[in-house]
Amino acid sequence: MVRSVFILHWNVNSIKDSRVLYTVYSVKPKLGDSRVAMNGPGMFKVKPYYDYSKAQIELPTCMFKMKNVHDSKNVSEEEDAELAALECRQESILQELKALESEVTTLAVKLKSQDDGVPVTHKTLQSSTKTQSGHKKGGAKLATSKSVPIAELGNVIHDIVIYANPNSPPLSLFVLYHTLSSQYRCRTAVHIHSSVKNVPEKLLQSLANGVEVGRGEAQIGITLIWKDVLHGPELKVSAHSQTPIQGEANVARYLARLITPRYDAGTIQHVCAVDDLLDLASFTILGGSSKERAAALRSLNSLLGKNTWLAPSGEMSIADAVVWSTLHQVQMTSGTPSNVQKWLKACEAQSAFKCALDIL
């Protein structure tokens, strides 16, 4: 192996001429030659960083090592805390699932009771000799027939909001409320909307039953708001997502389904007759002309010539409450035919109707 070695020679005599002479020698270095090294002359010598001849290297027998998870001695306190937190979270989830199961069961019982409902009859609207403590005079509570079980709405309060015009108060609402209060623990409240300026004191105390029921104990919460509504009373169950139920007859239908809990679970003849009377009250007596109202009175007089009450079953129903209310709103209670006049007196003899008359 021949290498070219550049050897620099300075010509002292030619320094002035800034000339440097380079001499190239072609030599063949020998091993152990101290004058010329294989890689050139080194500045200093160092020992090798790794001496593999002396080092002992242990080759691995597995990919990696880890502690035995089944050994209790290897479990640290942090791992114990994490396991305890996980167990606590699991218990919390199980409790929530148990509460959800209870609510679903309650709803199932409620829906089943609605499917097994019976129509509102005179037995469910008859007056009671018992009064609630603190009841104002004339506000006797209605009794419930022993054949009608007390309905259960579950652990969650059933909120109902009703808007009504104080110039034409829906008297059927107060009649049905007294029946509701005999079956449920009711909580009531009365407010005034900004669209109404003056409301009589009797209307403000219309739903006061003299007994304070906490919201956690109540099954039904009724909030009555006196407001300038144009198309009759409005009922809302969910104020944010529900289209309001309009009209006194439709509000009565909803409340009657809670009372029995369904008013339309009887025969088809009874249901159709009651619905026809409710439509008669809404469209003919309230919204009809004087001739149409007179024709409605003649029709009512004919029905009452055969029965004491309006429904063909001969028992009191929500039709009696709604028709009685509309006749008072249009001031047609005086000068009516004989059978209608007799029926009006029979209604006013009932305790629930007396309480409704007290607010007029």
Side-chain angles (χ1 to χ4, degrees):
M1 177 178 176
V2 179
R3 293 191 176 222
S4 296
V5 180
F6 293 86
I7 303 175
L8 180 61
H9 294 272
W10 291 90
N11 193 344
V12 180
N13 296 328
S14 54
I15 292 179
K16 295 180 179 180
D17 298 333
S18 301
R19 292 179 295 177
V20 179
L21 298 179
Y22 297 90
T23 305
V24 179
Y25 297 92
S26 296
V27 296
K28 184 178 181 180
K30 298 179 180 180
L31 294 175
D33 192 352
S34 60
R35 293 178 300 172
V36 180
M38 293 294 294
N39 296 326
M43 294 184 66
F44 54 87
K45 293 182 179 181
V46 296
K47 294 181 179 180
Y49 189 76
Y50 292 104
D51 190 356
Y52 294 101
S53 62
K54 297 180 180 180
Q56 295 180 358
I57 301 175
E58 295 181 1
L59 297 178
T61 58
C62 61
M63 294 291 293
F64 56 88
K65 295 182 179 181
M66 61 180 297
K67 295 180 180 180
N68 187 359
V69 296
H70 301 287
D71 190 0
S72 59
K73 297 180 180 179
N74 297 329
V75 180
S76 61
E77 295 181 357
E78 296 181 358
E79 294 176 349
D80 289 339
E82 292 179 357
L83 290 175
L86 182 61
E87 183 180 1
C88 181
R89 181 182 176 185
Q90 182 182 8
E91 291 294 334
S92 177
I93 293 175
L94 291 176
Q95 291 179 2
E96 292 179 0
L97 290 175
K98 187 175 181 180
L100 182 61
E101 181 183 4
S102 177
E103 292 181 6
V104 172
T105 304
T106 302
L107 289 175
V109 173
K110 174 185 173 182
L111 294 176
K112 183 178 179 181
S113 63
Q114 290 180 351
D115 293 336
D116 297 337
V118 295
V120 176
T121 62
H122 175 64
K123 293 180 180 180
T124 60
L125 292 176
Q126 63 184 357
S127 60
S128 172
T129 56
K130 298 181 180 180
T131 59
Q132 259 184 338
S133 59
H135 229 288
K136 63 179 181 178
K137 186 178 180 181
K141 183 181 178 182
L142 299 182
T144 307
S145 174
K146 294 182 180 180
S147 61
V148 180
I150 300 299
E152 293 292 340
L153 290 180
N155 299 326
V156 181
I157 186 173
H158 188 75
D159 280 312
I160 299 173
V161 180
I162 300 175
Y163 301 90
N165 195 324
N167 295 327
S168 56
L171 300 180
S172 62
L173 167 64
F174 310 109
V175 175
L176 296 174
Y177 163 70
H178 281 81
T179 306
L180 278 173
S181 62
S182 68
Q183 295 187 2
Y184 301 99
R185 297 185 299 272
C186 298
R187 175 184 175 88
T188 60
V190 181
H191 302 284
I192 303 176
H193 192 264
S194 59
S195 60
V196 178
K197 294 183 179 179
N198 297 321
V199 177
E201 186 65 23
K202 290 183 178 181
L203 295 181
L204 294 178
Q205 302 296 331
S206 55
L207 293 180
N209 56 4
V211 178
E212 296 182 358
V213 179
R215 184 173 179 82
E217 301 176 356
Q219 294 175 295
I220 295 180
I222 301 178
T223 302
L224 175 60
I225 301 177
W226 295 111
K227 181 182 177 181
D228 186 13
V229 289
L230 300 178
H231 304 290
E234 296 180 356
L235 183 146
K236 288 185 178 181
V237 178
S238 177
H240 299 286
S241 59
Q242 179 198 359
T243 300
I245 299 174
Q246 294 183 337
E248 183 176 358
N250 293 327
V251 172
R253 285 185 174 101
Y254 184 90
L255 296 178
R257 287 183 173 94
L258 293 177
I259 289 175
T260 56
R262 290 176 54 180
Y263 84 95
D264 53 355
T267 62
I268 188 65
Q269 294 82 3
H270 173 84
V271 175
C272 290
V274 171
D275 282 334
D276 184 60
L277 289 168
L278 294 177
D279 292 339
L280 177 72
S282 298
F283 300 109
T284 306
I285 298 178
L286 282 180
S289 61
S290 58
K291 293 183 179 181
E292 292 174 338
R293 292 174 179 175
L297 282 179
R298 290 194 295 270
S299 177
L300 293 176
N301 189 64
S302 176
L303 287 175
L304 293 171
K306 303 176 183 179
N307 299 316
T308 306
W309 306 103
L310 293 176
S313 61
E315 297 178 335
M316 184 182 294
S317 65
I318 61 171
D320 297 281
V322 175
V323 173
W324 176 81
S325 173
T326 55
L327 289 177
H328 277 83
Q329 292 180 44
V330 297
Q331 298 179 357
M332 292 181 60
T333 55
S334 59
T336 56
S338 58
N339 293 333
V340 177
Q341 196 66 237
K342 181 180 178 180
W343 168 77
L344 288 172
K345 292 180 180 180
C347 291
E348 294 172 1
Q350 305 299 318
S351 178
F353 290 84
K354 289 181 180 179
C355 295
L357 283 175
D358 288 342
I359 70 173
L360 295 178

